[in-house]
């Protein structure tokens, strides 16, 4: 079921609604990370100043220019560790469009879904963003102490988070939040396994940016299949 759902989602990537969500999700994620980087560099420059005196070295000028150039590698580091979690969280705000595109093609005749309100969507998005960012930053410590297991920790952690979030968001459109939680609990291992499948390509540059949209579509299929089996 998981593999079938994945390939069904993959085959629909050319859908214009998928592309629209992808561009908005990645664009907003870049904007957020750029803003964080710029704020960090500005904060260091504000507290340190344009120059600093170091014992036995003397005064170092043009520190603000150095920090400006330092923003480039900082953005690269942030993009490696936080780009996909951030894009995943932002994309969840537009999940309804992906889910509707999947349903229009594969599950016609369902009737209108119950849309998530803007306030509720924003709350879920920022909650998911916080969990994803904090969890992945904490996991950096585990990668150091358990280096040989780092890929499995990464896949297991992000697979669990992505699977739970995207399945819940896909399900609550049709059955409500409480029923979505119960359905998620009943099929936890299936959802986690599908999430791991989504997490495994996260380490591949550019390909990983497709995962939020691909994951949203995959879990829409999974929801309909497990719900039909209830």
């Amino acid at each position: 079921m998981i593999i079938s759902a994945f390939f069904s989602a993959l085959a629909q990537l050319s859908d214009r609604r998928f592309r629209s969500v992808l561009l908005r999700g990645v664009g907003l994620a870049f904007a957020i990370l750029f803003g964080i980087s710029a704020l960090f560099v500005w904060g260091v420059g504000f507290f340190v100043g344009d120059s600093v005196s170091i014992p036995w070295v003397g005064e170092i000028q043009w520190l603000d220019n150095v920090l400006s150039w330092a923003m480039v590698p900082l953005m690269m580091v942030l993009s490696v560790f936080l780009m996909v979690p951030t894009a995943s969280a932002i994309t969840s705000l537009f999940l309804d469009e992906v889910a509707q595109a999947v349903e229009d093609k594969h599950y016609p005749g369902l009737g209108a879904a119950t849309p998530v309100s803007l306030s509720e969507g924003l709350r879920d998005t920022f909650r998911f963003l916080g969990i994803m960012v904090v969890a992945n930053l904490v996991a950096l410590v585990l990668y150091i102490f358990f280096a040989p297991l780092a890929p499995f920790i990464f896949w297991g952690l992000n697979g669990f988070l992505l699977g739970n979030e995207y399945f819940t968001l896909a399900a609550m459109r049709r059955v409500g939040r409480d029923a979505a939680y119960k359905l998620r609990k009943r099929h936890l291992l299936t959802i986690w396994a599908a999430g791991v499948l989504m997490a495994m390509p996260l380490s591949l540059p550019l390909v990983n940016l497709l995962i939020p949209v691909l994951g949203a579509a995959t879990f829409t299929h999974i929801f309909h299949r497990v719900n039909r089996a209830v």
Side-chain angles (χ1 to χ4, degrees):
M1 178 181 66
I2 294 172
I3 299 300
S4 173
F6 173 76
F7 279 106
S8 293
L10 190 65
Q12 201 175 345
L13 277 179
S14 60
D15 190 298
R16 61 177 181 80
R17 284 175 285 185
F18 279 38
R19 295 197 303 271
S20 175
V21 171
L22 173 65
L23 291 174
R24 278 178 284 167
V26 172
L28 285 172
F30 267 117
I32 289 173
L33 292 180
F34 182 85
I36 292 173
S37 301
L39 184 62
F40 173 79
V41 172
W42 175 85
V44 173
F46 178 81
F47 287 106
V48 175
D50 294 340
S51 63
V52 64
S53 295
I54 300 178
W56 300 294
V57 175
E59 187 176 47
I60 299 178
Q61 300 286 342
W62 311 110
L63 188 60
D64 55 342
N65 289 335
V66 173
L67 289 172
S68 296
W69 282 105
M71 186 175 172
V72 176
L74 177 62
M75 277 293 296
M76 294 176 65
V77 171
L78 282 173
S79 67
V80 170
F81 293 107
L82 300 180
M83 181 62 200
V84 173
T86 304
S88 298
I90 296 301
T91 300
S92 69
L93 186 62
F94 310 116
L95 174 66
D96 187 71
E97 295 179 44
V98 175
Q100 191 61 53
V102 169
E103 291 174 348
D104 287 346
K105 181 174 181 179
H106 297 276
Y107 310 96
L110 288 175
T114 302
V116 177
S117 67
L118 179 59
S119 60
E120 193 175 9
L122 287 173
R123 185 193 66 188
D124 289 340
T125 294
F126 284 109
R127 177 188 56 81
F128 184 39
L129 175 59
I131 292 173
M132 288 287 286
V133 170
V134 171
N136 278 274
L137 288 176
V138 171
L140 292 177
V141 178
L142 298 179
Y143 300 155
I144 295 172
F145 287 101
F146 305 99
L149 299 176
F152 301 99
I153 296 172
F154 179 84
W155 296 336
L157 171 64
N158 286 281
F160 181 79
L161 295 175
L162 287 171
N164 279 355
E165 185 68 13
Y166 281 159
F167 180 85
T168 302
L169 291 173
M172 61 188 289
R173 300 173 61 254
R174 291 292 173 182
V175 298
R177 189 179 294 271
D178 291 340
Y181 287 156
K182 292 178 182 178
L183 200 58
R184 187 183 73 186
K185 184 177 180 180
R186 189 180 308 160
H187 299 279
L188 178 62
L189 292 181
T190 298
I191 293 168
W192 195 350
V196 170
L197 179 63
M198 295 297 104
M200 291 179 72
L202 290 181
S203 57
L204 301 176
L206 299 180
V207 174
N208 55 16
L209 297 178
L210 297 173
I211 296 305
V213 171
L214 188 59
T218 298
F219 280 100
T220 300
H221 283 291
I222 290 175
F223 158 69
H224 283 290
R225 295 176 189 186
V226 299
N227 189 52
R228 191 165 48 194
V230 174

